[in-house]
Amino acid sequence: MPGTDHVATHCPYCSLQCGIRLVSDPVDLTPDDFPTNRGGLCAKGWTAAELLGHPGRLLTPLVRTDRLRPASWTEALDRITAAIQASQRRYGPDSVGCFGGGGLTNEKAYLLGKFARVALRTSAVDYNGRFCMSSAAVAANRAFGMDRGLPFPLADIAETSALMLVGANPLATMPPAARYLDAGKANGATHIVIDPRTTATAARADLHLQPAVGTDLALANGILHVAIREGYADDGYITERTTGFDAVRASVAGYWPDRVERITGVPEHRIKQAVRTLGEAGSAMIITARGAEQHGNGTDTTQAFINLALALGLPGRPMSGYGTMTGQGNGQGGREHGQKADQLPGYRRLADPADRAHVASVWGVDPAELPGPGLSAFEMLDRLGTEGGVRVLLVFGSNPVVSAPDRDRVLNRLRTLDFLVVSDIFLSETAVEADVVLPTTQWAEEDGTLTTVEGRVVRRRRAVTPPLGVRDDLAMLTELAGRLGRGRFFDADPRRVFDELRRASAGGIADYNGISYERIDREQGVFWPCPSNDHPGTPRLFTERFATPDGRARFVPVEQRDPAEAPDRDYPCVLTTGRTMQQYQSGTQTRRTPTLAAAVPEPCAELHPDLARRYGVADGDLVELRSRRGRGVFRAVVTDGVRPDTVFAPFHWGGSSSANALTNPVLDPLSRMPAFKSCAVSITRVGGATDPLPAVAEPAGNTDLEDPC
Ligand code: SF4
C-alpha cells in the first residue's frame, strides 16, 4: 500500500474476513477497522502470522518413488502431465478430476472450474463447500431464487429487535461478530438460540431452545404452527410477496406444540415464547448455520426456517430477514464461480444452453466442448478408482481425509487412485497420500479477492514475498494447462483472472461485472450483484422483489423425517460434530499454529454428567467413540451444556481422534450434503485423566518426511 508501512489485507480463515494490517519486516499484524470486524480479531486471526515462516512449510514439490521425496517443479509437473494424459487416453476425460476448496480465492475457484472444463474437459470437479453450505444454498435458491449467505450487512444484526440463531455459534466461530449481537442486546433486542448444546452463544441468549439432534425441522414447523394460530402470520406480505403459503399452512397443521415437544424435547411453553418474541418484534431475523443444515434433511430443515421467516413477513424488510452464516473464508465466493459440479461462473448452470454459450464465449471455446454436470463431492470421492470413476485426482485447498465423512472409506478410495496430486502449504493428512505434492502460497503471499458472509467482495493483498520454491495455484493451473496444450486460454495474473471472472459472471445471478480491484480498495469492498461500473452494489437484497421469475418468494412444504441413523442397543448415543474457537476446518493450519495448539492441545468430547455416569467416565478421562464406520479417542469433558442423549466432538483432528471417522455419509437428496451432525455411537472409557491420547496421526502414513505439526 503506497505511502504506508503496512498492507491492508484479511484474515486467512473464516467468512467474516476480518481486516488485518500486516507489516512484513519483521512480520507483525494488527486488526484493521474494517466493517466486518471493526478492530476485532479472534485468536485465529491474531496468530495467523505464525504460519509465515513455519518450519513445517512445504518449500519444494514432493514426488513419490517408494516414498515422497523433494523434486524440481519440472519433474513434478512432468509427472502430473504424464499421469493426466495417460489416464485420459485410456479411460476418457472424466477419469481425471479436481477437488477444490471454500478457502480458495475467487480467482482460484474460478480458474479451477475453468481448468477442469477447458484444459481437462472433465465433468469431474467439485469442492469441500459441498460439505458446508450446500443445503442452505439449495433452500435459498428454492425460496428466493438466489443464494447469498446474508442478504444484508452484518451491521444490520445490531439493529434488529429479535434474532433467532439456529445451529449457529458465532461467539466461538467468529467472535468479532459478537459486537453486532452485543449492540443489538444493548438496543433492547431479544435473542433466541436453537442448539442442542449450551454454546457460548446460547448461554448469552434470552431464550435457549435445546432440541434433540435432527429435530430442528419439527421445531420450525411447530413454531410456524403456533405463529399462524396466534395470528402472527403477515397476511398482506404473504399475499403480495409470496406464493405457496396455503400448502405450507396445511403441512404445519399437524405440528401441535405438544406433539413437537414429544419429537424435539423443547417444552411447549418455550415454543410459544419463541413465537411471541418473533411475532411481536418490530423487526426480526432468522439465521441458520451448520447445526441446522448438515443433516440428511438439511435442505428441508433450512426451508422450514425460511417458511417461518416468510410467514412472518421478514425477508426484504428493514433490519429483518433470513440468512445463513457461511463458514469457510471464501465459502460465499467459492460457491459462485464454477468449482461446483453443476455450475459455471456467476451462479450460471452448466445444464443451461444459454449459460453455457455465454461462458464459452468469454472463454473463447465452443459451448459444445464444455462437459456436462458431474458428481457432487462425496459421490466423486466415493467412486475414486472405480469403473467410470476418477483415477487421477488434483486437490487444491482441501484436506478431505479429515473433512469428509466416513474417513476410512474416503481414505481407502484415495488409495485406489492411479495418481493423486495435492497442492497445499503443509503436508496435510491428504497430502501424505499423494503421488505429487505441490507447495503453494499462503494468504499473505498472494493477491486475490474473497467474498464475505454478507456478500461483500474484498481484496486479499500480498504483503510478504513467497519463499523460493513456492508457486501460487493460478500459476500451477496455467502451467499445467500449457502442458496439456490449452495454455492459450489461461492467464496466471490474479487481476486479469478477476476481470475475466467479471465478464463471465455478467448477467448472472452473482454478477460481479461492476466490481473492480480499484472499487474494492475505494469502497471497503463491494456487495454483489453489481452489474456495472456505475452500480452501487447491493448490500440489501429482496427489498422490492425476489430473484424468482415472478419476483415472489416461494413457500415449500416440508416434513420432519427421522435422522438416517437412530441410536439403538449397540450404538445408544447421538454424536454431533462441530468447531472450537481455536481451530479452523481440518486444522491443517491452526493445528500447526503454536499458540493455538498450546491453547487446545487435544480434541475433547463433551458428555452430559448423566451420560458420563452411565459409562463410568470422569472429566478428563479418555473415551472411545465408536460408530458403524469407525472409532476415535477423545479427552472427555463432562458438562451439562450438552443434552444427556448427545455427545459432541470437534472435527478438526485426524488420525486416531478423527470425528469424521465416525460420521455418516448419507446425503441430503437435494444438496448432496452429508449428515455430519448426526450419527449413532457407543461410548467406552479407555483411559484416565493422566493417560495420554494416542498420537493423532493417520493410521498408515506413508512418508518418512518430518512434519513438525
Ligand atoms: Fe475474524 Fe474469522 Fe479470522 Fe477470527 S477466524 S479473525 S473471526 S476472519
Side-chain angles (χ1 to χ4, degrees):
M1 181 172 280
T4 65
D5 58 358
H6 68 265
V7 173
T9 187
H10 294 270
C11 171
Y13 299 117
C14 85
S15 65
L16 202 58
Q17 284 298 296
C18 294
I20 278 176
R21 291 166 174 254
L22 193 62
V23 178
S24 60
D25 192 16
V27 172
D28 191 23
L29 68 78
T30 51
D32 205 353
D33 182 28
F34 195 75
T36 54
N37 60 311
R38 291 290 173 217
L41 289 179
C42 77
K44 297 187 287 290
W46 275 112
T47 56
E50 291 182 24
L51 291 183
L52 303 169
H54 189 286
R57 180 78 187 277
L58 293 171
L59 299 174
T60 183
L62 305 173
V63 300
R64 183 172 302 284
T65 43
D66 55 337
R67 297 180 179 281
L68 284 173
R69 61 162 173 81
S72 68
W73 273 95
T74 301
E75 181 183 1
L77 295 173
D78 281 351
R79 283 183 175 229
I80 297 169
T81 309
I84 291 171
Q85 289 174 330
S87 188
Q88 292 195 320
R89 255 195 317 271
R90 183 157 180 203
Y91 301 108
D94 285 353
S95 69
V96 179
C98 297
F99 196 91
L104 299 177
T105 61
N106 289 321
E107 290 78 356
K108 291 181 187 179
Y110 169 83
L111 209 68
L112 183 62
K114 179 179 175 183
F115 176 80
R117 276 67 180 241
V118 174
L120 298 175
R121 304 185 209 196
T122 180
S123 68
V125 55
D126 212 67
Y127 82 124
N128 65 18
R130 188 74 73 168
F131 302 156
C132 189
M133 292 307 305
S134 52
S135 288
V138 172
N141 276 320
R142 209 159 54 164
F144 309 128
M146 175 187 282
D147 156 41
R148 197 180 88 184
L150 295 182
F152 40 71
L154 272 164
D156 283 9
I157 292 174
E159 306 296 327
T160 194
S161 301
L163 174 66
M164 173 179 273
L165 291 169
V166 190
N169 183 16
L171 262 66
T173 55
M174 46 177 67
R179 70 181 51 243
Y180 299 111
L181 272 65
D182 291 344
K185 291 290 286 272
N187 289 337
T190 304
H191 290 178
I192 304 165
V193 170
I194 298 176
D195 201 306
R197 299 167 62 214
T198 309
T199 62
T201 309
R204 281 164 60 170
D206 301 285
L207 178 61
H208 176 200
L209 309 182
Q210 205 168 6
V213 171
T215 64
D216 293 336
L217 193 157
L219 183 58
N221 277 0
I223 293 171
L224 179 52
H225 171 106
V226 177
I228 294 169
R229 197 176 68 190
E230 298 197 357
Y232 291 114
D234 186 332
D235 295 332
Y237 177 98
I238 290 168
T239 302
E240 286 168 25
R241 302 212 55 190
T242 73
T243 58
F245 178 63
D246 288 346
V248 166
R249 180 168 48 198
S251 76
V252 302
Y255 287 81
W256 294 95
D258 57 340
R259 178 184 166 222
V260 173
E261 178 174 340
R262 283 197 300 280
I263 297 171
T264 65
V266 176
E268 190 174 334
H269 71 274
R270 292 187 153 239
I271 294 171
K272 292 177 176 171
Q273 200 179 340
V275 170
R276 286 165 195 156
T277 298
L278 290 175
E280 290 170 13
S283 56
M285 293 177 179
I286 298 173
I287 295 177
T288 64
R290 303 307 82 72
E293 299 159 12
Q294 287 180 321
H295 294 276
N297 67 345
T299 301
D300 282 353
T301 300
T302 311
Q303 196 79 53
F305 285 98
I306 292 175
N307 287 340
L308 175 62
L310 288 171
L312 296 172
L314 305 180
R317 285 258 175 86
M319 307 307 149
S320 296
Y322 162 82
T324 179
M325 298 296 267
T326 310
Q328 296 193 75
N330 198 27
Q332 183 63 54
R335 69 182 190 264
E336 297 165 356
H337 296 298
Q339 62 176 331
K340 280 180 82 172
D342 54 353
Q343 183 204 69
L344 289 167
Y347 274 148
R348 284 193 155 89
R349 292 188 306 124
L350 202 45
D352 183 301
D355 286 354
R356 292 169 67 90
H358 172 83
V359 175
S361 74
V362 174
W363 288 351
V365 299
D366 183 337
E369 277 184 35
L370 299 179
L375 294 174
S376 71
F378 186 79
E379 292 167 300
M380 176 165 59
L381 293 175
D382 203 32
R383 290 181 202 178
L384 296 178
T386 63
E387 179 86 32
V390 166
R391 310 183 78 99
V392 174
L393 183 68
L394 286 71
V395 177
F396 288 84
S398 190
N399 185 13
V401 171
V402 174
S403 62
D406 198 355
R407 186 271 314 271
D408 292 353
R409 182 163 154 184
V410 169
L411 200 49
N412 287 335
R413 294 259 54 92
L414 284 169
R415 288 175 178 165
T416 65
L417 282 168
D418 294 340
F419 204 81
L420 174 63
V421 181
V422 175
S423 164
D424 211 321
I425 57 178
F426 293 110
L427 198 64
S428 70
E429 288 80 355
T430 305
V432 164
E433 301 295 324
D435 296 284
V436 173
V437 181
L438 300 174
T440 189
T441 49
Q442 55 174 313
W443 63 288
E445 300 161 356
E446 59 189 23
D447 285 306
T449 61
L450 298 97
T451 306
T452 69
V453 60
E454 41 176 11
R456 184 196 305 260
V457 185
V458 301
R459 284 276 309 277
R460 172 178 284 183
R461 297 180 183 86
R462 178 167 158 161
V464 172
T465 304
L468 279 176
V470 162
R471 294 189 189 175
D472 76 58
D473 292 341
L474 299 180
M476 288 179 209
L477 291 169
T478 300
E479 171 78 20
L480 279 171
R483 286 164 178 263
L484 295 167
R486 306 289 277 176
R488 66 187 182 283
F489 299 107
F490 288 83
D491 189 327
D493 178 75
R495 183 185 293 263
R496 288 197 293 271
V497 173
F498 186 72
D499 285 343
E500 186 184 294
L501 178 161
R502 293 168 60 191
R503 294 196 302 280
S505 74
I509 290 172
D511 191 334
Y512 281 40
N513 193 35
I515 304 174
S516 64
Y517 278 18
E518 290 74 19
R519 277 194 67 179
I520 297 171
D521 292 347
R522 278 198 310 273
E523 301 173 27
Q524 290 197 302
V526 181
F527 289 84
W528 71 260
C530 182
S532 61
N533 294 339
D534 57 0
H535 188 283
T538 315
R540 294 178 183 83
L541 296 169
F542 314 139
T543 54
E544 306 290 331
R545 69 191 311 276
F546 294 95
T548 53
D550 64 2
R552 292 164 180 260
R554 295 178 284 228
F555 281 96
V556 180
V558 288
E559 295 288 347
Q560 172 68 24
R561 296 194 307 273
D562 288 337
E565 195 172 74
D568 58 17
R569 214 179 61 179
D570 296 332
Y571 302 97
C573 303
V574 175
L575 170 71
T576 194
T577 64
R579 292 170 54 181
T580 65
M581 185 188 288
Q582 288 82 4
Q583 295 294 329
Y584 176 72
Q585 302 302 84
S586 73
T588 303
Q589 296 161 95
T590 46
R591 281 187 279 124
R592 290 173 170 83
T593 302
T595 304
L596 300 176
V600 184
E602 294 179 328
C604 296
E606 295 180 7
L607 292 86
H608 190 276
D610 294 348
L611 196 62
R613 222 174 353 261
R614 197 185 319 157
Y615 293 100
V617 174
D619 195 57
D621 282 353
L622 298 182
V623 291
E624 181 181 89
L625 306 180
R626 190 185 280 254
S627 76
R628 287 179 176 79
R629 293 155 292 279
R631 57 188 174 169
V633 180
F634 301 85
R635 183 77 61 192
V637 171
V638 178
T639 168
D640 60 7
V642 62
R643 285 176 55 98
D645 55 4
T646 301
V647 54
F648 167 84
F651 64 81
H652 309 293
W653 281 266
S656 52
S657 294
S658 166
N660 276 326
L662 294 93
T663 48
N664 187 352
V666 66
L667 301 179
D668 180 288
L670 298 171
S671 67
R672 320 309 286 163
M673 161 78 84
F676 288 104
K677 291 293 186 204
S678 175
C679 71
V681 295
S682 64
I683 301 172
T684 309
R685 180 185 181 278
V686 292
T690 57
D691 292 320
L693 264 179
V696 179
E698 287 312 310
N702 46 2
T703 174
D704 58 359
L705 293 177
E706 287 291 318
D707 178 22
C709 172

